[in-house]
Amino acid sequence: MSPYRVLGYPYRAQVAFCTLLVMGLALCVLPVDKTMAWIIAGLAASVGLLLMVWRSLRLRRASIQHAAILSALAEATSYLPLRLRTRMPLVLVIGDHLDRIFDRSGSEGALIHVGDGAIWLRVDRLSDLPHLAVAVHQWRDGRAPDGIVLMLSPSAHADVEVLAQALRLARQAASDTSRLLGRRLPGYLSVYQRVTDEKMHSPSWFGISSAWPMRDASRFDVVSQFFDADMGRSNGDRLKAWRAAALSGVIDWTREVALPLLQERRQPAAPWPLYGVAWIDAGATVHGDTSSVWRSFLQVRTRVGAPRCDATAAPWPLPQPLIEAMPQQAWISPRLRALAHALCLLAYAIAIAFWCAAYNNKTLLVQTTDHLSHFASIPAVHDEARRDALSLLVSERDRLDRYQRQGVPMRLDLGLYHGAAVIPALNDAIASYQSPPPLPTIFTLDSMSLFDTGQATLKPGSTRMLVNALEAIKAHPKERILVAGYTDNVGGAATNLQLSVARAMAVRNWLMDVSDVPASRFAIQGYGDTRPIADNDSADGRARNRRVEITLIPDMPSG
């Protein structure tokens, strides 16, 4: 059984190779995120494992189901080299009286016969034919059986209905076999009918065989004409004339009864693929009043019965002449086919990998370009949005720098990587970002704490409120200082404006007196009651509006 297990197309190895290719593509180059890549790889591994388990179970079931016949086949051909075993014609034999054909050399129940130009494999049950053909296909290192030979004995069937049922089953089995193998097997018909006594002659085969299917029975005429001529040469020998006439009748029976049943197109099964027919004066005979389709046909045709004769002793001869014109199969070692398929799969995988790498690089460049365009389109006043866009550019630049230092991942590589070309553009965009100037620092002072009502002279002790502002001014020696005065709406507008200017000037003068801050850094402004920060209708609101603000203004960067 070992040859059966090791030969044939390596489906499981091919599935494993294909699974590894899919997993490699998913994890290395497919344009999906890591989670989806692992999901695809996991699905590929699961499907591949299931297919390999299914294939293993199928092979095991086939080996168990046909263990006896495959063991006999291996034993019968053990002396043949592998090359001869795959090249020697092998035919599956079905039909009538298989025991009388295969029981040779005293071996009853023989399943195999190696000789007569071929390996003859006996199939007793038609239901076993399709699966046995698949097992033989594996055993022969991927080469299908060369044909199916239907052994037909007209005397073995009581009436046409019984014969029709048997032939329909044979057609269905042959059709199922061709479907499982993926190719149509040539069909042959071997007709055994005893018409004369064996002592009178040595049985020999008559028939026709072709390397192409026979479309009709017109080629039977050549054999019929031979027997008609043989009758003319009988020279009064009644037995010789009878034999020629009877064999011609067997041919006509095949043409008129058997072939229509085998090739009728109204049946669900495909017609019998006839490549050859052979007839022989050997086989079973009809005794007494036993009915058979042959006796009925003969009586209708000749109006006389057949002479009494005995059945041919086993073993009956095999139709070796049919093998001579058998079409040759185009056979290539399954390992070579598997290698070719693996190379094709590898080529497809490489093509997909290059396409994915090109797509990933295009996506990278488009994404980077979009980030650059988005950053450039944000106005400087929207600093928060610019910072978010800037963080994307920095992340993109750092990633590309990492690729430069540590190597480009395979999903972007394969000689198609162009990410380095956009690093300068990223660096320029990042360098172009300028933070907005800091907001001015404002110190708000209550005028009532600094001045008396309607006055612009600092009250004694009020300068303690100016100490914090003074310290901030000293801490920022380069910032300009704006001192602005504000009043409530009590009094005239002009008076309030003058009062606000005077109070601002008083605060500025004090700051200049107690520090070395030059006058050029100061600016004063009076707004009177024009910029209230609260409602002047209430005392509390008016108190809030009476104020002096000291604002530290940062210098704007030049250029």
Side-chain angles (χ1 to χ4, degrees):
M1 292 298 295
S2 58
Y4 172 68
R5 290 196 297 267
V6 301
L7 299 181
Y9 191 91
Y11 287 99
R12 288 170 291 185
Q14 198 75 294
V15 169
F17 179 69
C18 187
T19 301
L20 291 176
L21 288 179
V22 174
M23 293 178 65
L25 288 174
L27 296 176
C28 296
V29 296
L30 281 187
V32 295
D33 56 45
K34 288 186 177 180
T35 301
M36 182 57 66
W38 278 107
I39 290 176
I40 295 174
L43 288 175
S46 300
V47 172
L49 182 61
L50 288 176
L51 287 175
M52 287 187 286
V53 170
W54 172 79
R55 180 65 180 177
S56 299
L57 293 176
R58 183 179 180 185
L59 291 178
R60 178 176 176 81
R61 183 168 61 250
S63 63
I64 294 175
Q65 184 178 2
H66 304 292
I69 195 165
L70 289 173
S71 296
L73 188 59
E75 181 179 356
T77 60
S78 59
Y79 65 93
L80 296 176
L82 176 62
R83 181 178 179 85
L84 183 58
R85 189 178 78 188
T86 56
R87 299 299 176 88
M88 189 173 184
L90 186 148
V91 292
L92 305 173
V93 184
I94 60 175
D96 305 328
H97 300 302
L98 298 184
D99 53 340
R100 302 186 187 183
I101 297 172
F102 280 87
D103 292 349
R104 297 169 181 270
S105 302
S107 57
E108 296 184 1
L111 302 175
I112 311 294
H113 175 68
V114 180
D116 295 296
I119 301 174
W120 306 82
L121 183 56
R122 170 181 174 179
V123 184
D124 289 309
R125 295 190 305 177
L126 291 175
S127 59
D128 291 339
L129 182 64
H131 298 290
L132 181 58
V134 173
V136 169
H137 180 270
Q138 185 78 7
W139 179 82
R140 295 184 79 199
D141 197 19
R143 184 174 181 178
D146 293 277
I148 303 174
V149 179
L150 173 60
M151 305 298 192
L152 190 58
S153 176
S155 298
H157 302 277
D159 54 49
V160 175
E161 289 300 323
V162 175
L163 174 65
Q165 179 63 18
L167 296 184
R168 279 195 293 267
L169 292 176
R171 279 181 60 174
Q172 187 63 55
S175 179
D176 293 342
T177 301
S178 298
R179 178 175 52 82
L180 283 182
L181 292 176
R183 62 182 301 269
R184 198 171 187 183
L185 296 183
Y188 299 90
L189 184 60
S190 178
V191 182
Y192 292 84
Q193 181 55 54
R194 190 80 166 115
V195 296
T196 57
D197 195 348
E198 188 178 44
K199 299 176 182 178
M200 297 175 52
H201 71 283
S202 297
S204 57
W205 288 100
F206 304 91
I208 50 177
S209 183
S210 172
W212 296 274
M214 299 170 60
R215 302 301 179 187
D216 51 49
S218 59
R219 300 178 66 179
F220 291 11
D221 295 338
V222 177
V223 186
S224 297
Q225 291 170 6
F226 170 79
F227 287 118
D228 291 341
D230 201 25
M231 281 190 294
R233 294 190 296 268
S234 61
N235 296 325
D237 188 338
R238 296 180 58 189
L239 289 179
K240 184 176 180 181
W242 162 254
R243 177 174 178 271
L247 288 176
S248 179
V250 173
I251 297 173
D252 292 339
W253 177 89
T254 304
R255 187 205 318 260
E256 298 172 16
V257 179
L259 277 187
L261 295 174
L262 284 172
Q263 297 189 321
E264 183 182 7
R265 296 190 176 276
R266 291 179 296 176
Q267 296 296 327
W272 183 265
L274 188 65
Y275 278 69
V277 185
W279 301 272
I280 191 171
D281 180 9
T285 187
V286 180
H287 295 286
D289 296 330
T290 304
S291 62
S292 70
V293 292
W294 167 244
R295 169 169 285 185
S296 301
F297 178 84
L298 193 62
Q299 288 178 346
V300 170
R301 185 178 181 86
T302 64
R303 305 296 181 181
V304 297
R308 181 179 180 82
C309 55
D310 296 328
T312 305
W316 295 356
L318 287 162
Q320 189 272 337
L322 291 177
I323 306 300
E324 296 177 356
M326 182 172 287
Q328 296 296 318
Q329 293 189 42
W331 179 82
I332 302 175
S333 170
R335 267 79 61 197
L336 290 178
R337 288 192 289 115
L339 178 60
H341 294 162
L343 292 176
C344 289
L345 290 174
L346 181 61
Y348 288 140
I350 292 174
I352 293 173
F354 272 96
W355 181 87
C356 290
Y359 181 84
N360 292 333
N361 276 280
K362 179 181 178 181
T363 302
L364 173 66
L365 295 178
V366 170
Q367 181 182 7
T368 304
T369 303
D370 289 345
H371 289 167
L372 288 169
S373 300
H374 177 63
F375 175 77
S377 66
I378 302 175
V381 294
H382 298 156
D383 186 64
E384 185 176 355
R386 282 177 63 83
R387 284 180 178 274
D388 292 339
L390 180 67
S391 65
L392 291 177
L393 296 183
V394 172
S395 176
E396 198 77 20
R397 190 270 314 275
D398 292 344
R399 179 160 65 105
L400 298 180
D401 282 341
R402 186 170 63 254
Y403 292 164
Q404 292 289 96
R405 297 190 310 269
Q406 301 177 3
V408 180
M410 185 176 295
R411 64 187 304 272
L412 296 169
D413 204 358
L414 302 179
L416 303 174
Y417 178 68
H418 299 292
V422 297
I423 293 179
L426 289 171
N427 287 330
D428 292 343
I430 294 170
S432 68
Y433 173 76
Q434 291 183 351
S435 299
L439 296 177
T441 303
I442 301 176
F443 296 91
T444 302
L445 307 174
D446 183 7
S447 293
M448 297 304 296
S449 300
L450 296 174
F451 306 97
D452 290 328
T453 302
Q455 301 297 316
T457 303
L458 292 171
K459 294 192 298 186
S462 63
T463 56
R464 290 176 302 190
M465 299 180 61
L466 300 173
V467 172
N468 292 335
L470 180 60
E471 291 178 354
I473 291 172
K474 291 180 178 181
H476 300 85
K478 294 184 179 181
E479 294 183 351
R480 291 177 296 167
I481 306 151
L482 172 64
V483 183
Y486 304 86
T487 67
D488 57 20
N489 65 349
V490 176
T495 302
N496 288 335
L497 181 60
Q498 292 176 359
L499 180 62
S500 64
V501 173
R503 286 177 174 178
M505 187 178 298
V507 172
R508 181 202 63 181
N509 292 339
W510 182 88
L511 292 173
M512 291 175 58
D513 291 341
V514 299
S515 67
D516 56 354
V517 179
S520 60
R521 289 183 59 192
F522 285 95
I524 60 172
Q525 182 69 49
Y527 294 99
D529 58 3
T530 59
R531 296 187 179 183
I533 60 174
D535 190 359
N536 279 311
D537 295 335
S538 65
D540 182 64
R542 289 192 295 273
R544 293 179 61 192
N545 290 332
R546 296 189 295 269
R547 66 193 188 278
V548 175
E549 291 181 352
I550 301 174
T551 304
L552 303 182
I553 303 174
D555 283 338
M556 296 296 292
S558 59

